[in-house]
Amino acid sequence: MELTEKVDLKMEQLVRGFQNRQGEDGAWRYYLGTGASMDAYMIIFLKSLKLGEDWLVDELCRRIRSKQAENGAWKLYQDEDGNLEATAEAYFALLYAGNSRKSDKHMRKARDFILSRGGLGRVKSFLTQFFLAITGQVPWKKTVALPPEFILLPNWFPVNLFDIAGHSRVHFVPLMVLSSRKFTVIHERTPDIRELYIKGKDNSSKLAAFNFMTAALRSGSKLVPVLPTYLTKKSEKRAEKYMLDRIEEDGTLLSYGTSTIMMVFALIALGWSKESKVVKHAVDGLKSFAWKMREGSHIQLTTSTVWDTAIISYAVQQAGMDHDSQSVQRAASYLLSRQHTKFGDWKMKSPKAAPGGWGFSDINTIYPDVDTAVAALRAIKKADPKDISQSWKRGLDWVLKMQNPDGGWPAFERKTNKKLLAKLPVEAAESYVIDLSTPDLTGRVLSFLCEETDFSGESNVVQKGVNWLLKQQEADGSWFGRWGISYIHGTSAAIIGLLAAGVKRNHPAIRSGVAWLESKQNPDGGWGESCSSDIHKKYIPLGASTPIQTAWAVEMLLEYYGQETESVRRGIEFLTQSFKKEDWRVNYPMGGGIPGSIYFFYEMMNDAWTLIVLGKYKHIYVRGCLV
C-alpha cells in the first residue's frame, strides 16, 4: 500500500473515532491520567473524614494495585526505577483502605523500597508531606509551612501572595491554615507508618533556613502582646474568604482535586462541619472527577474537556472536515459557552486586560491559561463570524495582554516570575511556584498570531517574542518545553513559531534546531524522550518511540521542509502504524505538571496530534507544498 493510501486510511479511522466520541453538547471528553497519586489522595481524604464511598475506595485500590512494579514501587513513568513519594502515598492509602496489610507480600516489597530510598524523611513533594502531616505520620515542622500572616502582605510588598503562581497559590493558602494550626485528622482506623521515618535521614537542613524566615515573620508581631492572635485570626479569615471566593460551580477549588481536598481539611480546621453544604458540594465535585477504567477507577487531578475539545476540533478541520459541518459547529458552540466572562487573579498583574480566555477544564471559569485560549481560538476561527466576532476579539486581546515584559508568554499569569520564590524548599519550585515564560507556549502563541491573525513578524509583539525565544535556545540547538515532554516538544513548538514569525530557514538557530531534532530520530522512524529530561533539564532518550513525540517532531519538520524528506517519510510511516494493542509507549506521559512529582497522560492526544500532522502531510499532495 502506498504511503498516501496509509495516510488516508489512518485519517479516516481517526476522524470516525472522534465523531463517535463527541458529546451531545459538542464537547469531547477523555480522561486525564496522573498515575496513582490522586487515587491515593482520594482514599486518604475519604477515610480520614469517614465519608464512606467504600465502592469508590475499592475501585481506586484496584487501580493502585495494578500500577505497582515488580520491585514493589510505584512509578511516575515507565522507565524510572520507582518513585519514593508515589510509593509512600500508595502504601499508606492501601493500608487506610483496609484491604491490604503490612504483612502482605506486595506491601512488604513497597515498604522495603521506601526504606531503601531513605524513608519518609526523604520525601520532597509538598503534597506528599501534606498528606503525611495531616494524618500524623510526620510532624508539621518537617514540612514546608508558610505562616498564614503571609496572606496579609500588601500587593506592593516585594514578595506577596500574588507573586506565587495561581496553581500553587490555591494549594498554599489552605496549607497556611493547616500548618499554622498543626491540624491533624487521626482516629482509630488511621494507619501508623512512622516506622518508615529513619532518624537522621530527612530534609530538615533544607527546611531550616525557610522555617527560620517564617518564624521571624511571626516573631515580629510579638512585639505587641495582642498582635499575634489578632493577625492570625485576621489572616485565617482572609484565607477562608480567598478559598470560598474561588470555588467553582462543581464545588471544587479552582477545579483542582488536590487544592479541593486541602480546602476541605482547612475549612474543618476552621470549624466548618463536614455536613455543611460547601464541604458536601466539594466532595461531590471530587467524586465527579472519577473515571471508570478497565483496571479500576481513577480520580483525575482535573478534567481536560475544553483543551480536548479545542485540539480535536482543530485536528478534524486540519484533516479536511468542513467548518460548516455539524461536528465542528457543535464544538465551536461548546467552546464559546466556556469562554471566560469573570475576572480572575490574573487581573492583579494585568489590570488592563478584560476576561476572554479559556480554562483547561470543563467547569473552569476564573483560571484561564494561554495554551488553551490559543487552541480554542484556532478551533473557532472559521465558525459563523456573526457569532464569534466579539468572542474572538476578547480572546485575542486576553492572550496579547498575557505577554510578559521579557517578550515570552507564561501559562497562566504574567509577571509571576520572581526568582526569590524559586528558592522555596518546594520540589521544582522554579517550575511550580512561579510561572515563567516558556519556549513551548511562546512558540505556539507566535505561530497562532502569525498564521491566524493580522500580526506579522514585523509587529512589536511578535518581535519581542522572537527575540526572547532565540535567547532560550540551548547550546546543542534544542529548546526546553515546560508543558510537554520535553526537549522534543519545546524544539518543535519554538521552531514552528519562529518560522511562522518570518525567521528564515537558513537562520543558524533554525538550522541547528532542525539538525538536533533529526539526530534524535529512532531506527523505527519515530521519536521518544524520557520524562527524566524534565527533572534533569537535559535531553534523555526514552529508548523507544511514542506517537505523540513523533507527531511533534514530524510537524516541525513538515513546517521546515514543506515537502517530503527521508526523515519526514519515516516519521509518517511510523504514525500510520496502528498499535495492535495499547502498550507502555502509547500510554507514556505527555505533559509536565510538577517535575519529579506529577506528569499527565492525555487519552486523546496521540490520535489528535497524529491527525493534525497527517492532515498537514496530506496538504503537500493537495497543494504541492506547505510553503
Side-chain angles (χ1 to χ4, degrees):
M1 186 184 294
E2 293 290 330
L3 182 56
T4 52
E5 294 177 299
K6 293 180 183 178
V7 168
D8 285 338
L9 180 61
K10 185 70 173 179
M11 289 173 67
E12 288 172 12
Q13 292 172 346
L14 294 175
V15 170
R16 186 164 56 247
F18 284 134
Q19 285 179 312
N20 292 337
R21 283 284 295 263
Q22 190 174 20
E24 288 296 320
D25 62 353
W28 277 281
R29 289 177 171 84
Y30 289 78
Y31 82 87
L32 180 69
T34 51
S37 290
M38 267 305 300
D39 303 332
Y41 299 158
M42 189 66 170
I43 293 171
I44 297 167
F45 173 70
L46 293 172
K47 287 296 182 179
S48 294
L49 297 181
K50 298 183 178 180
L51 294 172
E53 308 295 346
D54 290 344
W55 67 272
L56 178 56
V57 170
D58 289 343
E59 280 288 296
L60 296 174
C61 285
R62 198 157 65 86
R63 182 173 185 269
I64 290 174
R65 285 289 307 276
S66 75
K67 298 297 181 183
Q68 188 175 19
E70 184 61 34
N71 66 351
W74 276 263
K75 302 179 179 183
L76 299 178
Y77 47 93
Q78 287 85 339
D79 54 312
E80 71 169 345
D81 292 333
N83 183 268
L84 170 61
E85 287 80 5
T87 305
E89 293 159 355
Y91 179 81
F92 186 71
L94 290 175
L95 285 176
Y96 220 152
N99 56 15
S100 290
R101 296 172 297 179
K102 290 183 180 180
S103 58
D104 293 342
K105 183 179 179 181
H106 68 280
M107 298 296 276
R108 294 200 310 270
K109 292 174 74 173
R111 180 181 181 275
D112 290 345
F113 177 83
I114 293 169
L115 292 174
S116 73
R117 293 298 176 95
L120 299 183
R122 293 297 193 201
V123 163
K124 297 177 183 178
S125 166
F126 85 94
L127 285 170
T128 314
Q129 290 174 354
F130 161 75
F131 281 99
L132 292 174
I134 200 79
T135 55
Q137 307 308 306
V138 299
W140 275 104
K141 66 182 179 181
K142 299 292 186 181
T143 69
V144 176
L146 280 170
E149 291 83 359
F150 183 78
I151 203 171
L152 300 177
L153 295 175
N155 296 337
W156 52 260
F157 202 75
V159 178
N160 62 77
L161 183 68
F162 292 97
D163 288 324
I164 296 173
H167 43 278
S168 302
R169 194 184 307 133
V170 291
H171 291 87
F172 286 171
V173 168
L175 185 61
M176 290 176 198
V177 174
L178 293 163
S179 62
S180 173
R181 294 197 167 207
K182 296 180 172 53
F183 184 75
T184 56
V185 183
I186 305 172
H187 51 75
E188 69 282 359
R189 294 188 178 179
T190 306
D192 186 351
I193 61 169
R194 287 176 293 177
E195 75 274 9
L196 299 182
Y197 187 90
I198 303 172
K199 188 176 181 180
K201 289 191 176 183
D202 58 38
N203 299 316
S204 297
S205 59
K206 296 179 181 179
L207 291 170
F210 174 73
N211 288 336
F212 173 78
M213 288 190 294
T214 60
L217 181 61
R218 305 197 79 172
S219 65
S221 66
K222 294 180 181 178
L223 296 174
V224 181
V226 297
L227 207 51
T229 301
Y230 167 75
L231 288 178
T232 298
K233 286 184 177 179
K234 184 176 181 181
S235 61
E236 288 182 345
K237 265 304 192 190
R238 187 169 294 183
E240 181 183 64
K241 185 177 187 305
Y242 180 91
M243 293 184 288
L244 295 176
D245 286 349
R246 288 157 181 80
I247 293 176
E248 290 285 4
E249 291 178 7
D250 66 348
T252 62
L253 178 57
L254 219 64
S255 76
Y256 291 119
T258 44
S259 62
T260 304
I261 289 173
M262 295 174 80
M263 174 187 72
V264 171
F265 280 127
L267 291 176
I268 289 173
L270 292 171
W272 288 65
S273 166
K274 68 179 184 180
E275 300 301 322
S276 67
K277 286 184 179 180
V278 170
V279 170
K280 282 187 170 183
H281 196 199
V283 174
D284 287 341
L286 287 166
K287 289 191 295 184
S288 75
F289 287 177
W291 191 279
K292 181 73 174 174
M293 306 175 75
R294 184 175 60 253
E295 63 270 24
S297 290
H298 174 48
I299 296 292
Q300 301 169 97
L301 178 63
T302 186
T303 63
S304 55
T305 315
V306 176
W307 170 257
D308 292 348
T309 302
I311 294 295
I312 294 170
S313 178
Y314 177 68
V316 296
Q317 291 178 69
Q318 281 290 116
M321 185 178 289
D322 195 274
H323 64 270
D324 289 331
S325 70
Q326 187 181 40
S327 183
V328 171
Q329 287 300 312
R330 283 165 55 211
S333 294
Y334 169 80
L335 291 171
L336 289 168
S337 75
R338 293 303 189 268
Q339 187 174 27
H340 288 192
T341 59
K342 300 178 184 177
F343 287 102
D345 287 350
W346 50 266
K347 183 71 172 175
M348 302 297 295
K349 300 294 179 72
S350 306
K352 294 182 180 179
W358 278 263
F360 184 76
S361 67
D362 190 31
I363 45 76
N364 187 319
T365 64
I366 56 173
Y367 196 50
D369 71 271
V370 170
D371 214 10
T372 303
V374 166
L377 287 167
R378 279 189 186 273
I380 68 171
K381 184 185 179 185
K382 293 180 179 178
D384 188 339
K386 291 179 292 186
D387 292 335
I388 73 159
S389 57
Q390 288 304 311
S391 294
W392 176 271
K393 185 177 181 303
R394 289 193 299 113
L396 177 59
D397 184 65
W398 185 83
V399 169
L400 293 172
K401 291 291 197 309
M402 289 302 111
Q403 188 175 26
N404 268 326
D406 62 15
W409 272 267
F412 297 95
E413 299 172 352
R414 69 191 299 268
K415 296 175 73 173
T416 49
N417 54 2
K418 291 184 177 176
K419 292 295 182 73
L420 177 62
L421 288 168
K423 303 298 182 184
L424 284 175
V426 177
E427 189 177 21
E430 186 167 332
S431 298
Y432 179 69
V433 178
I434 53 180
D435 188 9
L436 300 172
S437 298
T438 67
D440 44 352
L441 296 192
T442 302
R444 265 208 281 279
V445 174
L446 289 177
S447 66
F448 161 71
L449 291 177
C450 296
E451 292 170 358
E452 310 286 359
T453 76
D454 294 331
F455 282 85
S456 70
E458 276 129 35
S459 75
N460 187 49
V461 167
V462 171
Q463 270 303 304
K464 283 177 64 180
V466 167
N467 292 338
W468 180 84
L469 197 49
L470 289 172
K471 293 175 185 175
Q472 308 311 308
Q473 190 174 28
E474 305 283 333
D476 62 3
S478 66
W479 279 266
F480 174 70
R482 163 68 179 92
W483 299 101
I485 307 301
S486 226
Y487 288 89
I488 290 175
H489 178 256
T491 303
S492 172
I495 291 180
I496 289 172
L498 291 171
L499 290 172
V503 177
K504 301 299 184 184
R505 282 166 171 72
N506 62 359
H507 189 288
I510 301 291
R511 291 171 62 187
S512 63
V514 171
W516 178 87
L517 192 70
E518 287 190 308
S519 74
K520 305 307 177 188
Q521 190 169 24
N522 292 326
D524 64 4
W527 279 259
E529 180 176 2
S530 172
C531 289
S532 296
S533 296
D534 188 48
I535 301 169
H536 299 290
K537 297 298 183 288
K538 66 177 183 178
Y539 174 79
I540 297 175
L542 180 58
S545 300
T546 70
I548 190 65
Q549 297 277 356
T550 304
W552 287 332
V554 176
E555 181 183 24
M556 186 274 277
L557 294 176
L558 281 171
E559 295 289 349
Y560 176 73
Y561 287 114
Q563 60 185 359
E564 184 181 289
T565 64
E566 177 64 14
S567 58
V568 167
R569 185 192 62 76
R570 291 172 57 221
I572 293 293
E573 284 274 12
F574 178 88
L575 290 174
T576 60
Q577 297 169 7
S578 295
F579 288 93
K580 294 181 180 178
K581 64 176 181 177
E582 286 196 4
D583 62 13
W584 69 271
R585 295 171 297 165
V586 176
N587 296 314
Y588 196 77
M590 306 157 176
I594 304 177
S597 292
I598 296 176
Y599 294 94
F600 295 112
F601 171 76
Y602 300 83
E603 184 192 3
M604 64 87 197
M605 195 85 97
N606 283 324
D607 287 348
W609 227 285
T610 293
L611 188 57
I612 290 170
V613 172
L614 295 182
K616 289 187 175 185
Y617 176 80
K618 187 72 183 294
H619 290 170
I620 291 175
Y621 292 93
V622 174
R623 299 199 309 248
C625 66
L626 280 173
V627 292

